Amino acid sequence: MESYMDYLNGLYGFIAALVVTVVATPLVKAFAIRIGAVDKPNHRKVHQRLMPRLGGLAIYIGFALAYMFFIPSSKETFGIFLGGSIIVLVGALDDRFELSPKVKLLGQIIAALVVVWYGLRIEFINLPFEGTLNFDWIAIPITILWMIGITNAVNLIDGLDGLAAGVSGIATAAMMIMALIMGNTIVAIYCMILLGGIIGFLFYNFHPAKIFMGDTGALFLGFNLAALSIMGFKYVTLFSIIPILILGVPLSDTAFAMLRRFLNKKPISVADKEHLHHCLLALGLSHRNTVLVIYGISIMFATAAIVFSQSTLWGAGLLIATLLFVLQLGAELIGWLGEKKKPLLNTARRIRQMRAGK
């Protein structure tokens, strides 16, 4: 009965966050224009006109009000909320003044340290063949690296209307479903409320967008997803695989970007126009359809994570192998690694040529 009332509270929190975000977004839009927090078009960006950013502030306002009234109090959730508030401040300052990468990284480290201080850490990983791998003192730097990595991975995919918000919403929904399956009430309710804020913002952010979430929103959502993945799955066997699957789109886009730049002998920090959404646009897909295709890929990863959590060891291994093959093949078909880096397709071509020669 207590769990039922808790989940009902979560539903009320979802509605509250959604409604407040819907109401707050036009006000935040007007505020962003007034203070000059706008996104200017350039050679890397798809939009062709000035767009107000800072939209993530509306998500935060909706989430924060619902958090105060509907999330059961705990040390860990307060740490995530406090760290997320720091991230929002850093993102908002960047949306207005364009902070240097070093200053943004410092803000992210401080926010991650707050989460660690309040007890949320990757202290161990349960292994598939019994036993655990304990991290001891190294748990703190591992947690900080995870938090910063996921936070920036979500920020990197924020390149089209509704993309980062939708992908984050799908990941949040997957975490909510898994938390419900495992009976993790606090994580489930936290996800419900965060999802409410995301959906409320998508009313204004889906193509054609009226406002961008900016770093304020992308960093805030990435930070929360990173923290929730630790809080929700740290006792699950192969903890590291499940959140990686749930966050498959931003993580694979980041991984392929780093690999692509390494193979092309370019600095990893140098931006390019070969991210997943750029590749799909180059194939001729419309803005809206590109976003919908990536939503579909996100749902595939999220579904795989849920199936993985309920699979046997051999079934889970087969699932991962299949996903990796499909991911590599898809990357080669759309030129995600560049036009010349296509080992699977090149191998298939050679086999066809050998058969034709016979």
Side-chain angles (χ1 to χ4, degrees), residues 2 11-12 40 86 117 242 292-293 334:
E2 186 177 344
L11 179 60
Y12 292 150
K40 301 175 183 177
I86 295 171
W117 177 262
I242 291 176
L292 291 176
V293 166
I334 67 173

Side-chain angles (χ1 to χ4, degrees), residues 176-198:
M176 179 190 72
I177 291 170
M178 291 200 62
L180 290 171
I181 292 172
M182 295 185 295
N184 195 330
T185 306
I186 293 180
V187 172
I189 295 174
Y190 198 108
C191 288
M192 289 179 193
I193 291 174
L194 185 62
L195 186 60
I198 294 170

Side-chain angles (χ1 to χ4, degrees), residues 120-122 143 146-147 226-234 239:
L120 195 64
R121 303 174 190 178
I122 305 174
T143 303
W146 175 261
M147 296 290 299
L228 287 169
S229 68
I230 300 172
M231 188 176 175
F233 308 117
K234 62 184 178 181
F239 144 80

Side-chain angles (χ1 to χ4, degrees), residues 22 67 94 96 117 137 162 208 221 250 256 306 320 324 335 349:
V22 167
Y67 168 86
D94 184 59
R96 175 57 185 88
W117 177 262
W137 63 271
L221 294 180
F256 275 116
I306 295 170
I320 294 299
L324 289 174
R349 189 178 300 112

Side-chain angles (χ1 to χ4, degrees), residues 106-337:
L106 177 61
Q108 292 171 29
I109 292 172
I110 292 171
L113 283 171
V114 168
V115 169
V116 170
W117 177 262
Y118 278 89
L120 195 64
R121 303 174 190 178
I122 305 174
E123 296 178 340
F124 61 88
I125 293 178
N126 284 310
L127 301 175
F129 298 105
E130 304 295 336
T132 59
L133 176 62
N134 293 295
F135 291 130
D136 297 324
W137 63 271
I138 206 173
I140 293 176
I142 287 176
T143 303
I144 292 172
L145 286 173
W146 175 261
M147 296 290 299
I148 292 173
I150 301 299
T151 297
N152 286 288
V154 172
N155 194 30
L156 280 176
I157 66 166
D158 187 24
L160 294 179
D161 298 352
L163 182 55
V167 169
S168 297
I170 292 167
T172 302
M175 289 188 185
M176 179 190 72
I177 291 170
M178 291 200 62
L180 290 171
I181 292 172
M182 295 185 295
N184 195 330
T185 306
I186 293 180
V187 172
I189 295 174
Y190 198 108
C191 288
M192 289 179 193
I193 291 174
L194 185 62
L195 186 60
I198 294 170
I199 293 175
F201 181 69
L202 273 171
F203 282 111
Y204 303 92
N205 186 236
F206 193 72
H207 185 72
K210 299 177 179 65
I211 184 172
F212 292 162
M213 67 164 59
D215 276 16
T216 311
L219 295 178
F220 175 68
L221 294 180
F223 183 86
N224 274 278
L225 289 172
L228 287 169
S229 68
I230 300 172
M231 188 176 175
F233 308 117
K234 62 184 178 181
Y235 298 111
V236 178
T237 300
L238 284 179
F239 144 80
S240 55
I241 301 296
I242 291 176
I244 286 172
L245 287 175
I246 291 175
L247 300 166
V249 167
L251 286 179
S252 58
D253 196 37
T254 302
F256 275 116
M258 295 173 67
L259 181 59
R260 180 174 63 246
R261 292 163 194 172
F262 173 77
L263 292 174
N264 294 325
K265 298 180 180 179
K266 294 181 180 179
I268 291 177
S269 59
V270 172
D272 59 32
K273 291 192 70 173
E274 295 181 80
H275 287 284
L276 176 57
H277 57 279
H278 292 130
C279 293
L280 293 174
L281 288 170
L283 290 177
L285 270 68
S286 68
H287 191 128
R288 181 186 292 262
N289 286 340
T290 295
V291 172
L292 291 176
V293 166
I294 298 176
Y295 283 3
I297 297 171
S298 298
I299 291 171
M300 178 191 73
F301 274 114
T303 304
I306 295 170
V307 172
F308 179 92
S309 69
Q310 305 299 311
S311 299
T312 64
L313 185 59
W314 288 106
L318 180 61
L319 177 64
I320 294 299
T322 303
L323 273 177
L324 289 174
F325 176 80
V326 171
L327 186 62
Q328 177 64 30
L329 182 60
E332 293 182 21
L333 287 171
I334 67 173
W336 209 354
L337 279 171

